[in-house]
Amino acid sequence: MTYQTPSYAPPDSLQGLLQRGRGLGHLRALADPAAAAPYVYDCIRQERRWDSQCDARAHYHARLLRDLGLPIGPLLDQLAGDEEAVWRASGVLELLALAGDGEAAEGLRDYVRHGEHWAGVLESIASEWPRAWWEGLRETALERITGEEEEPGAGEPWEHFGITRDAAARQRPQPDPDRERLGTDALLALIAEPGTTAGDKVGVLRLLAGRGPRPGLIPLVPLLGFPGADRPLPGVRAALRRLGAQAVPEARAWARDERPWLAALGREVLDDHPGPEALPGLLRELADLRHQEEWCGPDVTARRLAHLGPQAADAVPPLRALLLETPHSYERADYLRAIAAIDPGAAEDLYKECLWDCEERTLLIAVAAAPAADPEVRARVVALRDDPLEDPDVRAAAAERAEGLADTAVDL
């Protein structure tokens, strides 16, 4: 199946807002459910995400269907489509089932019994639903899997059903419990040992990722390239992002290194922590990206501008425009965070809308920063806290904020 970039309605229209997953789209839809309904179904029927690997929509669409009181029949009908159509519909139906929609739950169980792409749907509901909701499909799974060309992979529901996993799944590397018990200093020493393989170093980086920024990793970065290849090991860039400006002094030396991968890595670190002299170039870059509608990439420029704080005040208008216009919803959080870092007051009017956004990262920023004095904000934070359709991290953040707001508003 060839992916084609979807077209988008104007960003200030109801259709365009819903296509982009904007919070304002949800709020306008609540004001006129009949006008919004065909656009909501269209967004689920057709792939409207700019980047289907990053951009989120399932929670947003499930919220719209529930809050607008729209029937789920069109989504159940969509389960007769191709694999991509099934995936978009089933993701929304799974969430609605968790929120108490029995028709959605039974529709997915029936699809597992009779649908073409049943195995993927079964794996998905097994990862989202309580076991009691899907273990009754054991006999169906045992019977249907014998007719599949490919054996199932690892994990649920196959392990619970006692269905043999494929050879590749059995051969996947397993975590090393002895290594997991090592302290951070011992893990760093393991990287420095001459006999440590690239694969073992990647494993160490994964363990360190769960332990927060580790400055002791900085002098070891020159050891973290693939032998004979011009690229760093997976996890190196993420580790350096966690370290932030702490890596800048050594990055100056890396940028002059004869190894291309290390020199490029050093330049990236330096670019990510610009000085005032970089401001004109970053402003031109941001304007060019927006003018050319290069929706993948302005987030990097936004993060770099954020480091400059109030000095980058001229960046606020194009950052706001990108936030409102981009169909690449995953990047919206970076625009919002950059605006707040440059001019906190310029972000205040955006937080309220962003409490309804499709992206978890954007929601988390808005939950933490939306003005407490607004009663609608307080009500929305409480609603997010109690909403079974929301991600657990969003509910947890909303619960924490609601507790703080309760100290200043007795009616919360």
Side-chain angles (χ1 to χ4, degrees):
M1 176 177 166
T2 302
Y3 179 76
Q4 293 183 338
T5 301
S7 58
Y8 299 94
D12 57 350
S13 67
L14 175 58
Q15 183 181 17
L17 290 165
L18 293 172
Q19 289 172 342
R20 290 164 174 80
R22 291 246 324 260
L24 185 58
H26 192 119
L27 292 168
R28 286 193 184 173
L30 288 174
D32 193 348
Y39 300 140
V40 174
Y41 289 129
D42 177 73
C43 287
I44 303 172
R45 185 174 61 254
Q46 301 188 58
E47 181 58 85
R48 292 292 181 184
R49 292 171 296 174
W50 180 266
D51 185 338
S52 60
Q53 300 300 310
C54 297
D55 292 342
R57 290 295 186 277
H59 289 270
Y60 182 78
H61 293 150
R63 271 194 263 126
L64 281 164
L65 286 164
R66 180 197 61 190
D67 295 351
L68 300 181
L70 300 179
I72 65 169
L75 274 71
L76 297 174
D77 293 341
Q78 188 171 319
L79 294 176
D82 62 22
E83 188 171 10
E84 293 296 324
V86 168
W87 192 249
R88 288 192 297 276
S90 65
V92 176
L93 291 167
E94 285 171 19
L95 293 167
L96 291 171
L98 285 171
D101 191 322
E103 184 184 7
E106 187 50 40
L108 288 177
R109 292 192 196 98
D110 187 65
Y111 184 81
V112 171
R113 297 184 188 104
H114 306 290
E116 179 181 359
H117 306 291
W118 67 277
V121 170
L122 178 56
E123 289 176 353
S124 185
I125 64 176
S127 70
E128 298 291 336
W129 289 359
R131 179 176 290 176
W133 289 19
W134 52 263
E135 64 180 351
L137 296 167
R138 176 194 299 268
E139 294 304 318
T140 294
L142 290 170
E143 179 180 349
R144 297 202 72 186
I145 200 65
T146 59
E148 294 292 320
E149 294 183 4
E150 297 183 8
E151 294 180 348
E156 299 292 15
W158 315 114
E159 290 184 356
H160 182 64
F161 291 165
I163 296 175
T164 304
R165 294 177 294 165
D166 62 29
R170 290 193 296 270
Q171 293 170 7
R172 287 173 190 152
Q174 298 300 310
D176 184 337
D178 292 331
R179 184 177 295 166
E180 290 179 354
R181 287 191 287 268
L182 292 176
T184 297
D185 289 344
L187 289 171
L188 293 171
L190 183 59
I191 289 177
E193 289 180 6
T196 303
T197 67
D200 284 339
K201 290 177 182 179
V202 172
V204 170
L205 288 171
R206 287 175 180 155
L207 290 174
L208 290 173
R211 303 186 185 187
R214 295 294 165 180
L217 185 65
I218 295 173
L220 301 175
V221 167
L223 304 176
L224 296 175
F226 274 107
D230 189 19
R231 56 195 173 100
L233 296 173
V236 175
R237 284 188 171 89
L240 290 174
R241 283 196 294 271
R242 287 190 292 272
L243 287 161
Q246 297 178 77
V248 168
E250 296 219 27
R252 295 191 180 100
W254 301 340
R256 298 189 298 270
D257 197 275
E258 62 183 12
R259 287 165 288 184
W261 71 267
L262 185 57
L265 201 62
R267 290 192 296 271
E268 287 178 23
V269 172
L270 296 176
D271 286 345
D272 285 342
H273 298 85
E277 72 284 350
L279 180 57
L282 290 172
L283 290 172
R284 286 194 300 273
E285 182 178 299
L286 195 69
D288 289 346
L289 288 168
R290 183 190 169 211
H291 177 71
Q292 296 163 11
E293 296 188 347
E294 292 287 346
W295 304 120
C296 293
D299 60 328
V300 176
T301 311
R303 289 194 295 270
R304 291 171 176 171
L305 284 161
H307 286 291
L308 296 172
Q311 300 174 82
D314 288 345
V316 170
L319 285 169
R320 286 181 64 94
L322 281 165
L323 187 148
L324 301 178
E325 295 170 359
T326 182
H328 191 4
S329 58
Y330 183 79
E331 297 198 358
R332 240 182 340 252
D334 295 293
Y335 307 143
L336 182 62
R337 188 176 285 114
I339 292 169
I342 296 167
D343 180 0
E348 283 195 3
D349 67 314
L350 297 170
Y351 291 135
K352 188 172 179 179
E353 172 193 338
C354 289
L355 286 169
W356 300 83
D357 199 82
C358 68
E359 291 290 341
E360 179 182 352
R361 294 195 308 144
T362 307
L363 278 168
L364 289 171
I365 296 169
V367 165
D374 189 329
E376 293 183 7
V377 167
R378 297 199 298 269
R380 179 61 181 152
V381 169
V382 171
L384 287 169
R385 178 194 67 188
D386 300 331
D387 193 343
L389 286 180
E390 286 304 331
D391 289 297
D393 288 347
V394 172
R395 294 201 301 271
E400 183 177 351
R401 182 77 196 280
E403 185 176 354
L405 292 175
D407 296 335
T408 57
V410 295
D411 61 328
L412 189 64

